[in-house]
Amino acid sequence: MNFPILSSLILLPTVGAIFIFLTKSSSKSNYNSSKYLALFTSFFNFVLSIYLWYIFDPNTSNFQFVENRDWLNGFINYKVGIDGISILFIVLSTLIAALCIVNVCNHITNKLKDFLIAILLMESLMIGVFCSLDLVIFYLFFEAGLIPMFLIIGIWGGPRRVYSAFKFFLFTLLGSVLMLVAIISIYWINGTTDIIELYNLGIEPKYQNLLWLAFFSSFAVKTPMWPVHTWLPDAHVEAPTAGSVLLAAILLKMAGYGFIRFSIGLFPLASEYFVPLIYFLSLVAIIYTSLVALMQEDMKKLIAYSSVAHMGFVTLGIFTFTKQGLEGGIIQMISHGLVSAALFLCVGVVYERVHSRLIVTYGGLVSIMPKYAVLFMIFTLAAIGLPGTSGFIGEFLILMGVFKKSFWVATIASLGVILAAAYMLWLYKRVVFGKVINKELLNMLDLRKSEIFILVALAIPTIFFGFYPEPLLNTIDVSINNLIETYNKQIFLNK
């Protein structure tokens, strides 16, 4: 295919952001044109990503639609391409960005134009992360994404927005400094930062442990893994709804993608060596943060801690190095991207009406907002992994993979499923059922058309992939098989 479809996906949101920037904010017509331009750009990009998935060939493990151009006199190449793992995250990114723009257009009035620009720039950078086939290009996209998210939290966030924005920025930036050092080291060791070439050349075993730890320092913070997860609840609580959605649905997945693409792909021996560390940190994240979630009175903070626990399952699955574990980890990330986005949007719906995130404020919403109660129930059940939802497919495959490696690790991780049911059902019971004690709730309106559109758009794939996950599994199957085969070969040769 001669058309540079990946560069188009990356650049189109930025072009849309530039046009929005050039529109004047003085008149109502220009104000509306900014909204329509952002909506058109984001939904066109989503349709383009669906078309990319349609023409993608799932029967080869080779990277497809590769674009390679010299940059900085050939020292660094702008190289992008996708395989079966990348394409799913690109589609997820474009969907979530489009729905966030719908949400922002209906709820944000303060500096709306700037907010739309930030989301569109964020979309470009997120897609760039999942397309990158050069370590330096990946790092630039990976870190540049901090800037619009920092602004989203710091400008449109809650009362402690500046503190939370700086905490988010410093945690994630400091975690990535060592990764930059590792990338420079890889260049001096192998003479290239081209990911495909590095896969073929391999990294010498004597360097792998240190390089793995350097990449881990960045991915662990962004996953986030215990104990470097403390920035996440603060960021979620203070961020506006769209910021929380982008953070939970996409930014956390960048680290999971990094574990698969780099930690396992480039450093298989080190990945094998550090498995006990990953299992320990993942189990602590699953159990500890689930118990912390049970104690929360703030709905956003509860869902934020649940995200840490769910990502603990993801890292467990990835580092089983089994087909079930890796496929389960990817599907769990896609599912969590849909479900966590929806849960934060559900919190945003009631917050816009009452301006409170405290659970005790609510109760009895089923009689006041029945449509909201039904959709909130779907995502609550998906979050606990009920069969028939996408959450079940991911967790089931992960636990199958973990059981192959360690019965006791899988048994402890299974407790996280029980705890997830406890805190999510407890949240739903207190918010939706019971008597209406707070009389202010009686004036609340049920879901608007735009809110129904957003939540239904997330509910459809959540249920569809729960019953029929084959499109996801067929897309990633060959790429996962190739990854496992390469990993096993490296382990065998170095024993």
Side-chain angles (χ1 to χ4, degrees), residues 332-349:
Q332 178 73 348
M333 282 193 278
I334 300 299
S335 173
H336 183 259
L338 297 169
V339 175
S340 65
L343 288 173
F344 279 115
L345 286 163
C346 286
V347 175
V349 165

Side-chain angles (χ1 to χ4, degrees), residues 459-474:
I460 289 172
T462 299
I463 296 172
F464 177 79
F465 292 129
F467 284 98
Y468 188 69
E470 271 73 16
L472 302 179
L473 293 170
N474 292 340

Side-chain angles (χ1 to χ4, degrees), residues 5 38 115 126 208 252 254 266 292 309 311 324 344 402 429:
I5 189 168
F115 204 152
M126 292 186 303
Q208 286 199 23
L252 305 190
M254 291 181 184
L266 294 180
V292 174
M311 291 305 292
Q324 293 91 343
F344 279 115
V402 178
K429 174 184 178 295

Side-chain angles (χ1 to χ4, degrees), residues 85 88-89 260 326-335 476 480:
I85 300 169
L88 296 182
F89 291 104
I260 296 171
L326 280 161
E327 289 185 345
I330 292 170
I331 291 176
Q332 178 73 348
M333 282 193 278
I334 300 299
S335 173
I476 64 179
I480 292 297

Side-chain angles (χ1 to χ4, degrees), residues 119-132:
I119 293 178
L120 289 171
L121 291 176
M122 190 80 221
E123 181 180 359
S124 285
L125 297 169
M126 292 186 303
I127 296 170
V129 166
F130 299 122
C131 293
S132 299

Side-chain angles (χ1 to χ4, degrees), residues 225-246:
M225 299 183 75
W226 180 88
V228 288
H229 67 287
T230 57
W231 63 269
L232 184 68
D234 288 328
H236 273 310
V237 167
E238 298 304 320
T241 300
S244 293
V245 169
L246 286 170

Side-chain angles (χ1 to χ4, degrees), residues 84-109:
I85 300 169
S86 314
I87 180 63
L88 296 182
F89 291 104
I90 292 171
V91 174
L92 178 66
S93 299
T94 57
L95 171 64
I96 296 299
L99 296 179
C100 281
I101 287 176
V102 175
N103 174 266
V104 167
C105 288
N106 285 279
H107 294 104
I108 299 294
T109 55

